[in-house]
Amino acid sequence: MRDEWDVACAALNLRRLRVLGVAAVRLVHVSDLHLGPLADRAALREALDRVAALAPDLVCVTGDLVDSPATDLDAWMPELARLTARHGVFAVLGNHDRRAGADRVAAALARWSGWRLLRDEVATIGVAGSRLHLVGLEERPEGRAADALPDLVARVPGGEPFVVLAHRPSVLPVAAAVGVPLVLAGHTHGGQLAVPGVPQLNLARLLQMGFEAGCYVRDRTLLHVNRGLGTSGQRVRIGVPREISVLTLTLAGVVEPGVEGAACRRRSHIFASST
């Protein structure tokens, strides 16, 4: 079978990143691995190797690491150790991880990889002598997904840059209300099934999920929704390639000006791989 990979690149003009004193931070965003009986081990390895080849400063994974309680964690989690980044790999859990047992998934991730799992936590990394904060939301059911966000954002020192990692893109209204500059999310798979050539006609839109893929702006907050690497329900994608997102966080003036956190340019390179 031939499989498509979409490596989408976006330049994000975050004025708050001026305090970093650096021209750019290369952040790779992936999501929805769905490790388990439906996963393709060769395709997973290829994806993780593609990410590593991008030489990221930072990797963020926005949930659904595993697919179901049937996932053999000892068989799958060691694969994740092949993915590293200069300042680390940071992840949050998704609804499938919660269904599989959040504590069980967290323990296996700690055992088999060097990833840092954020469960209603704020992690801080040093970049060129300054700091960037990563706010990771614990997975909660729809309607409560952003419950902890205001308190977490309050932990970030005023005036310092931060990025929120969440599984569900529906956190956007609350994120905008509390002044988050950038939210990374997954969950939707871009619909997983779409009319070829018309990606807007997809399952996520039919289910009224609201934010199926790509960039969305609310006030001065930018949301980026990644289409994911895996599949759920059945091992098929139609019209919705798997996605690796390369987000270059830049200083004001490097990219054309726009809404804070929202000057977003995309270019895509489609790769075909045998699976």
Side-chain angles (χ1 to χ4, degrees):
M1 180 176 70
R2 302 293 289 177
D3 195 11
E4 283 190 336
W5 297 89
D6 190 350
V7 180
C9 302
L12 308 181
N13 185 349
L14 296 180
R15 288 197 276 271
R16 293 190 180 192
L17 284 177
R18 285 180 294 184
V19 302
L20 288 174
V22 294
V25 175
R26 173 173 280 199
L27 184 158
V28 173
H29 176 203
V30 295
S31 194
D32 295 84
L33 279 60
H34 285 279
L35 305 181
L38 293 179
D40 184 311
R41 194 175 298 269
L44 173 69
R45 290 175 176 173
E46 180 184 6
L48 299 183
D49 288 346
R50 286 191 186 279
V51 173
L54 293 167
D57 295 312
L58 176 66
V59 174
C60 295
V61 187
T62 50
D64 279 359
L65 309 181
V66 307
D67 190 60
S68 73
T71 299
D72 184 341
L73 297 180
D74 289 340
W76 281 102
M77 286 299 194
E79 297 287 353
L80 304 185
R82 69 198 300 128
L83 180 57
T84 61
R86 180 183 177 192
H87 295 294
V89 179
F90 295 82
V92 293
L93 298 177
N95 57 302
H96 282 256
D97 302 312
R98 178 162 49 85
R99 184 160 63 92
D103 291 342
R104 172 175 170 256
V105 173
L109 189 66
R111 178 182 180 187
W112 292 112
S113 79
W115 295 15
R116 170 87 182 270
L117 184 64
L118 301 178
R119 305 182 70 181
D120 286 343
E121 297 175 67
V122 179
T124 302
I125 62 173
V127 182
S130 294
R131 303 193 301 178
L132 173 64
H133 304 280
L134 302 173
V135 177
L137 272 174
E138 177 74 346
E139 159 62 18
R140 292 178 176 84
E142 199 66 65
R144 298 181 49 218
D147 279 4
L149 187 55
D151 288 342
L152 289 171
V153 169
R155 299 182 199 173
V156 178
E160 296 194 2
F162 64 102
V163 176
V164 169
L165 280 62
H167 182 58
R168 298 176 188 265
S170 60
V171 305
L172 178 59
V174 175
V178 297
V180 175
L182 173 62
V183 180
L184 305 179
H187 185 53
T188 68
H189 302 191
Q192 192 166 312
L193 303 174
V195 176
V198 190
Q200 297 85 355
L201 297 180
N202 62 71
L203 186 59
R205 179 163 292 194
L206 291 175
L207 294 175
Q208 297 184 330
M209 299 181 82
F211 310 102
E212 58 262 27
C215 294
Y216 301 85
V217 175
R218 173 75 63 93
D219 298 331
R220 302 181 75 81
T221 297
L222 174 68
L223 166 70
H224 183 270
V225 183
N226 181 280
R227 295 192 301 267
L229 295 175
T231 59
S232 185
Q234 52 187 330
R235 190 195 289 181
V236 63
R237 281 179 179 260
I238 298 175
V240 187
R242 307 167 198 263
E243 182 175 14
I244 297 168
S245 305
V246 185
L247 309 179
T248 302
L249 309 184
T250 69
L251 295 178
V254 176
V255 185
E256 65 273 12
V259 175
E260 182 178 47
C264 184
R265 297 181 301 181
R266 293 172 64 90
R267 63 181 185 277
S268 300
H269 306 283
I270 307 299
F271 297 89
S273 60
S274 298
T275 61

PDB file of all heavy atoms in Angstrom, residues 62-77:
ATOM      1  N   THR A  62       0.895  15.872  21.006  1.00  0.00           N
ATOM      2  CA  THR A  62      -0.347  16.299  21.650  1.00  0.00           C
ATOM      3  C   THR A  62      -1.393  15.186  21.773  1.00  0.00           C
ATOM      4  O   THR A  62      -2.540  15.336  21.370  1.00  0.00           O
ATOM      5  CB  THR A  62      -0.930  17.535  20.929  1.00  0.00           C
ATOM      6  OG1 THR A  62      -0.999  17.290  19.520  1.00  0.00           O
ATOM      7  CG2 THR A  62      -0.081  18.761  21.183  1.00  0.00           C
ATOM      8  N   GLY A  63      -0.985  14.078  22.371  1.00  0.00           N
ATOM      9  CA  GLY A  63      -1.943  13.100  22.835  1.00  0.00           C
ATOM     10  C   GLY A  63      -2.281  11.943  21.931  1.00  0.00           C
ATOM     11  O   GLY A  63      -1.876  11.878  20.777  1.00  0.00           O
ATOM     12  N   ASP A  64      -3.053  11.011  22.506  1.00  0.00           N
ATOM     13  CA  ASP A  64      -3.393   9.734  21.886  1.00  0.00           C
ATOM     14  C   ASP A  64      -2.139   9.003  21.440  1.00  0.00           C
ATOM     15  O   ASP A  64      -1.977   8.635  20.271  1.00  0.00           O
ATOM     16  CB  ASP A  64      -4.390   9.917  20.739  1.00  0.00           C
ATOM     17  CG  ASP A  64      -5.828  10.055  21.248  1.00  0.00           C
ATOM     18  OD1 ASP A  64      -6.038   9.981  22.471  1.00  0.00           O
ATOM     19  OD2 ASP A  64      -6.738  10.238  20.419  1.00  0.00           O
ATOM     20  N   LEU A  65      -1.254   8.779  22.399  1.00  0.00           N
ATOM     21  CA  LEU A  65      -0.051   7.993  22.123  1.00  0.00           C
ATOM     22  C   LEU A  65      -0.438   6.555  21.821  1.00  0.00           C
ATOM     23  O   LEU A  65       0.171   5.914  20.962  1.00  0.00           O
ATOM     24  CB  LEU A  65       0.903   8.046  23.325  1.00  0.00           C
ATOM     25  CG  LEU A  65       1.244   9.438  23.868  1.00  0.00           C
ATOM     26  CD1 LEU A  65       2.207   9.337  25.031  1.00  0.00           C
ATOM     27  CD2 LEU A  65       1.816  10.314  22.771  1.00  0.00           C
ATOM     28  N   VAL A  66      -1.423   6.042  22.534  1.00  0.00           N
ATOM     29  CA  VAL A  66      -1.876   4.667  22.307  1.00  0.00           C
ATOM     30  C   VAL A  66      -3.337   4.691  21.869  1.00  0.00           C
ATOM     31  O   VAL A  66      -4.033   5.695  22.014  1.00  0.00           O
ATOM     32  CB  VAL A  66      -1.691   3.784  23.560  1.00  0.00           C
ATOM     33  CG1 VAL A  66      -0.263   3.868  24.063  1.00  0.00           C
ATOM     34  CG2 VAL A  66      -2.656   4.173  24.668  1.00  0.00           C
ATOM     35  N   ASP A  67      -3.795   3.553  21.361  1.00  0.00           N
ATOM     36  CA  ASP A  67      -5.138   3.517  20.782  1.00  0.00           C
ATOM     37  C   ASP A  67      -6.199   2.960  21.720  1.00  0.00           C
ATOM     38  O   ASP A  67      -7.317   3.455  21.748  1.00  0.00           O
ATOM     39  CB  ASP A  67      -5.132   2.691  19.494  1.00  0.00           C
ATOM     40  CG  ASP A  67      -6.436   2.814  18.722  1.00  0.00           C
ATOM     41  OD1 ASP A  67      -6.784   3.949  18.337  1.00  0.00           O
ATOM     42  OD2 ASP A  67      -7.121   1.783  18.534  1.00  0.00           O
ATOM     43  N   SER A  68      -5.840   1.930  22.491  1.00  0.00           N
ATOM     44  CA  SER A  68      -6.886   1.257  23.260  1.00  0.00           C
ATOM     45  C   SER A  68      -6.269   0.459  24.402  1.00  0.00           C
ATOM     46  O   SER A  68      -5.051   0.258  24.460  1.00  0.00           O
ATOM     47  CB  SER A  68      -7.682   0.315  22.352  1.00  0.00           C
ATOM     48  OG  SER A  68      -6.900  -0.826  22.034  1.00  0.00           O
ATOM     49  N   PRO A  69      -7.088  -0.059  25.313  1.00  0.00           N
ATOM     50  CA  PRO A  69      -6.577  -0.926  26.377  1.00  0.00           C
ATOM     51  C   PRO A  69      -5.890  -2.176  25.845  1.00  0.00           C
ATOM     52  O   PRO A  69      -5.117  -2.817  26.571  1.00  0.00           O
ATOM     53  CB  PRO A  69      -7.836  -1.286  27.180  1.00  0.00           C
ATOM     54  CG  PRO A  69      -8.785  -0.166  26.921  1.00  0.00           C
ATOM     55  CD  PRO A  69      -8.534   0.235  25.494  1.00  0.00           C
ATOM     56  N   ALA A  70      -6.150  -2.545  24.591  1.00  0.00           N
ATOM     57  CA  ALA A  70      -5.537  -3.736  24.007  1.00  0.00           C
ATOM     58  C   ALA A  70      -4.087  -3.508  23.594  1.00  0.00           C
ATOM     59  O   ALA A  70      -3.382  -4.452  23.242  1.00  0.00           O
ATOM     60  CB  ALA A  70      -6.347  -4.190  22.793  1.00  0.00           C
ATOM     61  N   THR A  71      -3.614  -2.257  23.630  1.00  0.00           N
ATOM     62  CA  THR A  71      -2.242  -1.957  23.218  1.00  0.00           C
ATOM     63  C   THR A  71      -1.238  -2.631  24.149  1.00  0.00           C
ATOM     64  O   THR A  71      -1.305  -2.475  25.373  1.00  0.00           O
ATOM     65  CB  THR A  71      -2.000  -0.442  23.222  1.00  0.00           C
ATOM     66  OG1 THR A  71      -2.891   0.182  22.302  1.00  0.00           O
ATOM     67  CG2 THR A  71      -0.562  -0.122  22.820  1.00  0.00           C
ATOM     68  N   ASP A  72      -0.301  -3.368  23.577  1.00  0.00           N
ATOM     69  CA  ASP A  72       0.797  -3.983  24.335  1.00  0.00           C
ATOM     70  C   ASP A  72       1.868  -2.909  24.532  1.00  0.00           C
ATOM     71  O   ASP A  72       2.688  -2.663  23.643  1.00  0.00           O
ATOM     72  CB  ASP A  72       1.354  -5.183  23.564  1.00  0.00           C
ATOM     73  CG  ASP A  72       2.436  -5.922  24.336  1.00  0.00           C
ATOM     74  OD1 ASP A  72       3.018  -5.343  25.270  1.00  0.00           O
ATOM     75  OD2 ASP A  72       2.726  -7.079  23.981  1.00  0.00           O
ATOM     76  N   LEU A  73       1.848  -2.250  25.673  1.00  0.00           N
ATOM     77  CA  LEU A  73       2.744  -1.113  25.895  1.00  0.00           C
ATOM     78  C   LEU A  73       4.207  -1.518  25.878  1.00  0.00           C
ATOM     79  O   LEU A  73       5.060  -0.763  25.393  1.00  0.00           O
ATOM     80  CB  LEU A  73       2.393  -0.434  27.218  1.00  0.00           C
ATOM     81  CG  LEU A  73       0.996   0.186  27.290  1.00  0.00           C
ATOM     82  CD1 LEU A  73       0.765   0.819  28.650  1.00  0.00           C
ATOM     83  CD2 LEU A  73       0.802   1.227  26.187  1.00  0.00           C
ATOM     84  N   ASP A  74       4.529  -2.685  26.398  1.00  0.00           N
ATOM     85  CA  ASP A  74       5.929  -3.121  26.407  1.00  0.00           C
ATOM     86  C   ASP A  74       6.442  -3.409  25.011  1.00  0.00           C
ATOM     87  O   ASP A  74       7.647  -3.344  24.756  1.00  0.00           O
ATOM     88  CB  ASP A  74       6.096  -4.366  27.285  1.00  0.00           C
ATOM     89  CG  ASP A  74       5.952  -4.047  28.770  1.00  0.00           C
ATOM     90  OD1 ASP A  74       6.107  -2.870  29.133  1.00  0.00           O
ATOM     91  OD2 ASP A  74       5.685  -4.979  29.559  1.00  0.00           O
ATOM     92  N   ALA A  75       5.527  -3.703  24.102  1.00  0.00           N
ATOM     93  CA  ALA A  75       5.933  -3.961  22.716  1.00  0.00           C
ATOM     94  C   ALA A  75       6.059  -2.674  21.915  1.00  0.00           C
ATOM     95  O   ALA A  75       6.882  -2.589  20.995  1.00  0.00           O
ATOM     96  CB  ALA A  75       4.931  -4.905  22.042  1.00  0.00           C
ATOM     97  N   TRP A  76       5.250  -1.662  22.252  1.00  0.00           N
ATOM     98  CA  TRP A  76       5.200  -0.445  21.438  1.00  0.00           C
ATOM     99  C   TRP A  76       6.004   0.733  21.992  1.00  0.00           C
ATOM    100  O   TRP A  76       6.619   1.474  21.232  1.00  0.00           O
ATOM    101  CB  TRP A  76       3.744  -0.007  21.243  1.00  0.00           C
ATOM    102  CG  TRP A  76       3.028  -0.800  20.196  1.00  0.00           C
ATOM    103  CD1 TRP A  76       2.134  -1.811  20.384  1.00  0.00           C
ATOM    104  CD2 TRP A  76       3.161  -0.653  18.782  1.00  0.00           C
ATOM    105  NE1 TRP A  76       1.697  -2.299  19.175  1.00  0.00           N
ATOM    106  CE2 TRP A  76       2.315  -1.600  18.174  1.00  0.00           C
ATOM    107  CE3 TRP A  76       3.914   0.194  17.967  1.00  0.00           C
ATOM    108  CZ2 TRP A  76       2.200  -1.733  16.796  1.00  0.00           C
ATOM    109  CZ3 TRP A  76       3.791   0.079  16.590  1.00  0.00           C
ATOM    110  CH2 TRP A  76       2.951  -0.880  16.016  1.00  0.00           C
ATOM    111  N   MET A  77       5.975   0.930  23.294  1.00  0.00           N
ATOM    112  CA  MET A  77       6.596   2.131  23.852  1.00  0.00           C
ATOM    113  C   MET A  77       8.101   2.238  23.600  1.00  0.00           C
ATOM    114  O   MET A  77       8.618   3.350  23.423  1.00  0.00           O
ATOM    115  CB  MET A  77       6.312   2.229  25.351  1.00  0.00           C
ATOM    116  CG  MET A  77       4.885   2.646  25.654  1.00  0.00           C
ATOM    117  SD  MET A  77       4.498   4.281  24.967  1.00  0.00           S
ATOM    118  CE  MET A  77       2.980   4.662  25.808  1.00  0.00           C
TER     119      MET A  77
END
